[in-house]
Amino acid sequence: MSTETHFQETKNIPRHVAVIMDGNGRWAQAQGEDRLFGHSNGVDSVRETLKCAREFGIKFLTLYAFSTENWARPKTEIDGLMQLLVASIHNEIDELQANGVRLKTIGDVERLPKDCIESLKEAIETTKNNQEITLVLALNYSSRDEIIRACNRLAEKVKTGLLTPGDIQQKDLENVLDTANIPDPELLIRTSGEYRVSNFLLWQLAYAEMHFTQVFWPEFRREHFIEAILDFQSRERRFGKTSDQIS
Ligand code: FPP
């Protein structure tokens, strides 16, 4: 049985898949190209992954596109990434709209360049009623930064009497994270043979299955995505219970 046939027969599809798109720079440099060449080829992988995710009935796809730590990269690379983001939104917006894709962001986006903020705001507004799939771009994102911003929001609520110290529940924190109203990812994919979480969705990945592949992000295609889903489907998700309890 081919991977494709096997995949289509199964029903256990994760609701939310998160991806650490890694290896753009190494992929480009291995060919004697500039790192930005890797990032712009990475956009093809984004397009293909989104298409597959939508086709397979996945409802949320979160992509780690720019971390708070990425500001430490050379200015030319940062500028190139920001331009690529604006150009990609411009090029893809009709396709997103036609395919029922709702765009969202997580991260401290107000610190991005003005033209990025404007493009993102416009695309988010245009696609806000779409229901097929939500594409979440993590931009100027890191999990510890998100949690600190959330703590400050909780502190404000305590100050104004909306919350009582000693009575704060998990839900209260979840409601003030950037991911409020987004279900936790059930599957995390990281490309390029790195085995780290790199400050990505630390709270939300508590029960996620992890899939690591050697493939560099610009080479990530449908077959690799299916491999990740099959890997997810082969796992027994126990959520702290015993195997007998869940069977
Ligand atoms: C990691 O590879 C990738 C990034 C930091 C940026 C990802 C951006 C894109 C794929 C393009 C824009 C995205 C959208 C959503 C339009 P790396 O540069 O860290 O690779 P390396 O580890 O080989 O250096």
Side-chain angles (χ1 to χ4, degrees):
M1 200 186 293
S2 75
T3 301
E4 184 82 350
T5 319
H6 184 194
F7 175 70
Q8 285 174 352
E9 282 173 4
T10 63
K11 292 272 182 290
N12 179 21
I13 295 291
R15 191 151 165 238
H16 183 177
V17 176
V19 187
I20 302 180
M21 312 180 286
D22 200 5
N24 293 351
R26 277 167 286 158
W27 178 82
Q29 284 167 330
Q31 308 172 59
E33 297 282 356
D34 193 67
R35 294 175 57 84
L36 277 169
F37 179 75
H39 297 314
S40 59
N41 277 274
V43 177
D44 294 339
S45 309
V46 169
R47 199 180 296 112
E48 179 145 341
T49 302
L50 177 62
K51 184 169 178 281
C52 293
R54 181 183 167 278
E55 188 188 318
F56 301 161
I58 290 160
K59 299 310 280 182
F60 294 86
L61 176 70
T62 297
L63 304 176
Y64 205 177
F66 194 85
S67 75
T68 54
E69 288 83 12
N70 286 150
W71 295 113
R73 293 194 174 194
K75 188 175 181 312
T76 46
E77 185 173 344
I78 297 171
D79 291 348
L81 270 169
M82 296 299 159
Q83 278 166 23
L84 191 58
L85 181 68
V86 174
S88 301
I89 292 170
H90 180 78
N91 294 337
E92 305 294 334
I93 186 70
D94 290 347
E95 196 74 4
L96 296 180
Q97 194 59 355
N99 287 292
V101 181
R102 177 174 68 143
L103 184 70
K104 262 180 161 312
T105 58
I106 55 171
D108 196 359
V109 281
E110 293 301 326
R111 298 195 175 195
L112 296 175
K114 281 236 154 19
D115 59 337
C116 277
I117 299 175
E118 272 157 30
S119 297
L120 286 164
K121 279 194 176 148
E122 204 181 316
I124 289 168
E125 178 62 25
T126 307
T127 62
K128 70 177 180 199
N129 293 321
N130 292 341
Q131 290 184 6
E132 286 292 309
I133 185 168
T134 301
L135 172 65
V136 184
L137 296 182
L139 289 162
N140 191 25
Y141 178 87
S142 80
S143 199
R144 288 182 174 181
D145 180 66
E146 176 193 30
I147 290 169
I148 289 296
R149 286 185 288 106
C151 287
N152 280 308
R153 289 181 196 129
L154 282 184
E156 273 304 320
K157 289 194 176 191
V158 169
K159 196 171 147 194
T160 55
L162 287 169
L163 283 176
T164 315
D167 195 28
I168 293 173
Q169 312 290 318
Q170 291 194 12
K171 200 77 210 129
D172 296 317
L173 177 61
E174 280 165 1
N175 286 340
V176 291
L177 288 169
D178 296 348
T179 50
N181 301 317
I182 298 175
D184 286 347
E186 290 169 282
L187 170 64
L188 172 76
I189 301 173
R190 183 169 188 153
T191 58
S192 91
E194 303 288 350
Y195 302 89
R196 288 187 295 278
V197 180
S198 296
N199 215 347
F200 188 46
L201 300 173
L202 299 178
W203 172 277
Q204 299 87 341
L205 289 172
Y207 289 102
E209 299 296 330
M210 310 276 170
H211 175 83
F212 299 99
T213 171
Q214 297 298 315
V215 174
F216 289 133
W217 179 249
E219 289 180 328
F220 191 84
R221 288 292 172 270
R222 182 184 176 88
E223 75 223 62
H224 307 115
F225 193 65
I226 291 177
E227 256 170 47
I229 304 291
L230 285 172
D231 192 15
F232 172 81
Q233 291 173 336
S234 74
R235 311 279 178 91
E236 182 184 68
R237 307 191 74 213
R238 292 197 294 276
F239 301 99
K241 295 182 181 169
T242 69
S243 201
D244 287 346
Q245 284 176 304
I246 55 160
S247 61

